[in-house]
Amino acid sequence: MTRHRQLLIFAIFLSLFAFLADGTGNKKVTFADKGEKFYYFNPDSPQSNMVRLKQEMDNFLKQANFPFSFTPFARFSDFDRLSKVVPPNFVLLPQWYFEKNRDKMQFVPLLVPTRNGSTSYRKLLLTSKQSEATLTTLTKKTLAMTFLGADGGSQLTKLLFAQHNINVDDLNIVVTPKDSDALFALALGQVEMALVSEENLTNIGKVNPIILESVRSLTESIPISLPILCYRKGAIPQEKIEEIKNLFLGSNKKQIAIMDILQFDGWQEYYN
């Protein structure tokens, strides 16, 4: 094993240890049996600490006189199952899930967040710096990425591969719970490519430059919408919807606090 690979593995273990020490570990987020529900699912988020996120959001909403039970989900299967069994009053969710379920689950879009002034982000198709892979030699390569729905192949084609005339069926796709997991899998040599957001790559690179230095970008996706804040039609009085909307759109300390918690820098009204 080369010294560079030893340092890289050590850097990744430090990153994983940081996530565990930060409160994620194997702890389960418990679900409240009563009260209003606010769900959150965003596998591409730079925010990795689900336990802390729940605690801070519960406190924030309570202090703002919205006694919602905030439940963040790390895994799609848990989010999808509970959303259908115990539908949320409010939910912050990926655009692809919203588009597929908006009518069936009566989701009404309210707001979309911004990051660095934009309501969208891009994902990078990464490979190892030692790899000789190019966009014309991807057949049979293994790609790690977060879940994009049951029709993930067509979603991936639309976001990335259509512009390069690449057939997604020629790839072996490994689904990871979090964006950062895909990057770690690539850095450890478990896969040959990873689809990772620019934000996550930058954030992890700040903590462990060795990981950043070990990968290179083959191409980038078209812009992807940040998660959409929705309410469920008929589940919340209109005045409460307006209050939540004004809370998120405000410029006071409460609004700034929620931005820090969710790692956004603003909100805009959603226009389809």
Side-chain angles (χ1 to χ4, degrees), residues 38 53 57 60-61 247-248 253-264 267:
F38 191 141
L53 178 60
M57 280 296 294
F60 169 80
L61 292 168
L247 173 66
F248 279 51
K253 290 182 178 179
K254 289 181 179 179
Q255 192 267 3
I256 293 172
I258 202 171
M259 294 300 96
D260 289 340
I261 295 168
L262 295 172
Q263 298 195 2
F264 301 131
W267 296 86

Side-chain angles (χ1 to χ4, degrees), residues 54-119:
K54 173 174 173 55
Q55 292 171 342
E56 293 192 3
M57 280 296 294
D58 276 341
N59 290 335
F60 169 80
L61 292 168
K62 183 178 180 180
Q63 290 171 8
N65 296 317
F66 293 101
F68 291 93
S69 173
F70 182 82
T71 304
F73 294 86
R75 296 183 180 277
F76 168 76
S77 57
D78 296 330
F79 167 71
D80 185 56
R81 175 181 54 80
L82 202 66
S83 293
K84 293 172 180 175
V85 175
V86 186
N89 303 90
F90 283 95
V91 59
L92 188 59
L93 75 179
Q95 182 184 33
W96 59 262
Y97 191 90
F98 164 70
E99 291 176 346
K100 182 178 179 181
N101 295 280
R102 63 182 302 176
D103 295 330
K104 180 169 56 177
M105 302 186 71
Q106 296 290 288
F107 289 148
V108 181
L110 186 63
L111 300 172
V112 61
T114 62
R115 185 181 293 137
N116 299 321
S118 175
T119 59

Side-chain angles (χ1 to χ4, degrees), residues 19-76:
F19 289 152
L20 294 174
D22 206 21
T24 53
N26 294 317
K27 296 179 182 178
K28 291 185 178 180
V29 176
T30 57
F31 306 130
D33 294 327
K34 299 180 180 179
E36 311 294 352
K37 304 292 190 296
F38 191 141
Y39 293 168
Y40 170 90
F41 175 65
N42 181 20
D44 292 345
S45 172
Q47 171 62 262
S48 62
N49 190 334
M50 296 292 104
V51 174
R52 182 185 174 197
L53 178 60
K54 173 174 173 55
Q55 292 171 342
E56 293 192 3
M57 280 296 294
D58 276 341
N59 290 335
F60 169 80
L61 292 168
K62 183 178 180 180
Q63 290 171 8
N65 296 317
F66 293 101
F68 291 93
S69 173
F70 182 82
T71 304
F73 294 86
R75 296 183 180 277
F76 168 76

Side-chain angles (χ1 to χ4, degrees), residues 81 89 131 143 150 160 175 178 193 231 258 264 271:
R81 175 181 54 80
N89 303 90
S131 171
L143 168 65
L160 184 67
V175 176
K178 296 288 293 179
M193 296 181 296
Y231 64 90
I258 202 171
F264 301 131
Y271 298 103

